[in-house]
Amino acid sequence: MVLFCSDIGVAIFSICFFSDPDSSTALHFEIVPYLRKRRSTDYTRKLSAHIYKELNGCSHSVLRCDMTSRGGRGPSGRSEETTQSGSGAIKLPGAASLYEQLDKLVLVCLRDGRNFFGWLRSFDQYANLILDNTVERLTVEDSYADVPIGIFVIRGENVMLLGEVDEERELNVGSSMKQVTEPEIRRALAAIKEDRAARRRGEKVEWPIPEEY
Amino acid sequence: MLFFSFFKTLESKLVTIELKNDLKIKGVLHSVDQYLNCKLQQVEVLNAERYPHLLAVSSVFIRGSVVRYVHINPSDVNVPLLQDASRREYGEGRNAP
């Protein structure tokens, strides 16, 4: 698993995950420098972050981040306390800010128009994503069906948008749209496809007739 | 780099991002990175009737590569400063070895 973490615009680190077998609540992560700082080659920083997995809701929050520098400028220890999406959290730019969505229900829209709902488990600087308990949402007009597809790894280039889902609002959406079973929605999709194909072959006229006629 | 710095000045401003699939999303720009990936908060989808599943979304991360336009309030842009900056960048580029 790789998590993306930026040293405030200086370097990018990838994190190797070592779970601590002694403790069920704390995971110890070793952070290895992914890119060295360009200005000084011996600038290698070793970070270790203690990421605690909260028991309720299974959410990760970086509670402490120690940075020590080896060589170069001498030790510069730093300790930061952040909680996810808290007001005091460090604001990481762009893709790194996805850490706020870790272990939250997210909606991922792909470039080909498919939509997935799942729990974001991991990501990296390219917005490659790992979704857990994923469902693909198939929509036809005002009816939809959720097709469970388990764990899903998405290559970043296909991601169009990732949205954090407000679960309360999601329930309200359910009232405006009708949930149907997967075979029903598949039939509806097949009908649409067949309809389009028939029109293309000229067996069926579009109604209302397009204005250019 | 110029556009990255420019987008950084737009953080916490209200912008509308239009994607390559015509989806228009309005929201407060939370952060932006070097690829111009954007994160918006307090999101509102302007053409929600085509994308009903986006109604439940409160904050979005948009990959920079799918953005077509970013609509900005003119009052958030300092045009003379931007012109200066681009001239400076161009000048540096020409004089670079």
Side-chain angles (χ1 to χ4, degrees):
Chain A
M1 285 231 276
V2 177
L3 181 78
F4 168 67
C5 177
S6 167
D7 178 11
I8 324 298
V10 174
I12 301 163
F13 298 94
S14 65
I15 306 182
C16 301
F17 283 51
F18 301 108
S19 67
D20 188 352
D22 302 332
S23 161
S24 60
T25 56
L27 292 164
H28 183 73
F29 296 173
E30 175 92 297
I31 306 178
V32 279
Y34 178 70
L35 285 179
R36 291 189 179 175
K37 198 183 171 190
R38 269 169 286 168
R39 269 177 271 163
S40 60
T41 47
D42 58 348
Y43 182 92
T44 30
R45 277 189 163 186
K46 203 179 161 203
L47 285 97
S48 70
H50 300 269
I51 300 192
Y52 294 88
K53 204 171 173 182
E54 286 170 19
L55 288 172
N56 52 340
C58 183
S59 56
H60 292 140
S61 50
V62 182
L63 290 181
R64 202 157 62 92
C65 194
D66 300 322
M67 298 192 202
T68 46
S69 137
R70 286 187 303 215
R73 309 189 318 187
S76 66
R78 201 166 85 192
S79 189
E80 256 158 335
E81 199 148 303
T82 64
T83 51
Q84 60 180 51
S85 61
S87 54
I90 347 170
K91 199 171 97 178
L92 291 170
S97 70
L98 283 178
Y99 86 97
E100 291 171 16
Q101 268 73 47
L102 276 178
D103 288 324
K104 298 242 176 91
L105 182 63
V106 295
L107 158 70
V108 178
C109 301
L110 300 191
R111 283 194 310 179
D112 60 2
R114 298 209 274 172
N115 300 302
F116 297 100
F117 283 85
W119 272 263
L120 183 67
R121 295 296 188 218
S122 188
F123 65 93
D124 68 5
Q125 69 269 44
Y126 308 109
N128 294 325
L129 307 170
I130 297 177
L131 296 183
D132 193 8
N133 289 326
T134 319
V135 292
E136 178 176 359
R137 179 157 295 185
L138 300 167
T139 339
V140 175
E141 285 160 9
D142 60 350
S143 51
Y144 71 95
D146 288 337
V147 183
I149 44 179
I151 290 187
F152 217 61
V153 181
I154 302 169
R155 189 174 156 86
E157 62 177 339
N158 302 303
V159 175
M160 189 181 78
L161 172 150
L162 182 145
E164 186 180 333
V165 178
D166 193 334
E167 286 179 54
E168 207 171 291
R169 269 151 87 185
E170 167 65 10
L171 291 177
N172 292 336
V173 170
S175 64
S176 69
M177 292 178 76
K178 184 162 56 94
Q179 184 162 14
V180 294
T181 60
E182 190 196 335
E184 278 177 82
I185 208 95
R186 294 256 185 232
R187 268 200 296 280
L189 286 169
I192 288 174
K193 205 174 159 191
E194 178 50 42
D195 202 42
R196 280 210 194 113
R199 265 176 208 168
R200 222 175 297 124
R201 290 196 301 268
E203 292 166 7
K204 205 171 172 182
V205 214
E206 246 173 274
W207 192 263
I209 294 167
E211 277 184 20
E212 60 257 36
Y213 287 101
Chain B
M1 255 347 240
L2 177 65
F3 279 87
F4 176 44
S5 336
F6 170 60
F7 273 99
K8 274 177 102 73
T9 65
L10 289 174
E11 279 178 8
S12 77
K13 302 270 167 49
L14 196 67
V15 296
T16 306
I17 294 186
E18 188 176 332
L19 306 189
K20 286 177 182 167
N21 68 347
D22 297 331
L23 177 62
K24 291 194 189 91
I25 304 170
K26 187 170 162 186
V28 175
L29 190 65
H30 169 265
S31 69
V32 69
D33 71 2
Q34 53 174 336
Y35 308 109
L36 305 184
N37 295 330
C38 301
K39 193 164 196 185
L40 298 183
Q41 286 181 326
Q42 300 157 42
V43 169
E44 186 192 335
V45 180
L46 297 182
N47 38 6
E49 64 288 340
R50 278 181 64 197
Y51 307 93
H53 46 271
L54 283 169
L55 286 171
V57 165
S58 56
S59 88
V60 292
F61 165 81
I62 299 168
R63 206 174 133 95
S65 61
V66 299
V67 174
R68 185 185 284 144
Y69 301 123
V70 181
H71 304 260
I72 307 157
N73 189 340
S75 63
D76 295 335
V77 191
N78 186 342
V79 179
L81 199 75
L82 207 60
Q83 284 174 330
D84 272 0
S86 63
R87 283 201 192 95
R88 219 175 305 123
E89 189 131 309
Y90 174 63
E92 277 171 18
R94 208 170 35 173
N95 298 335

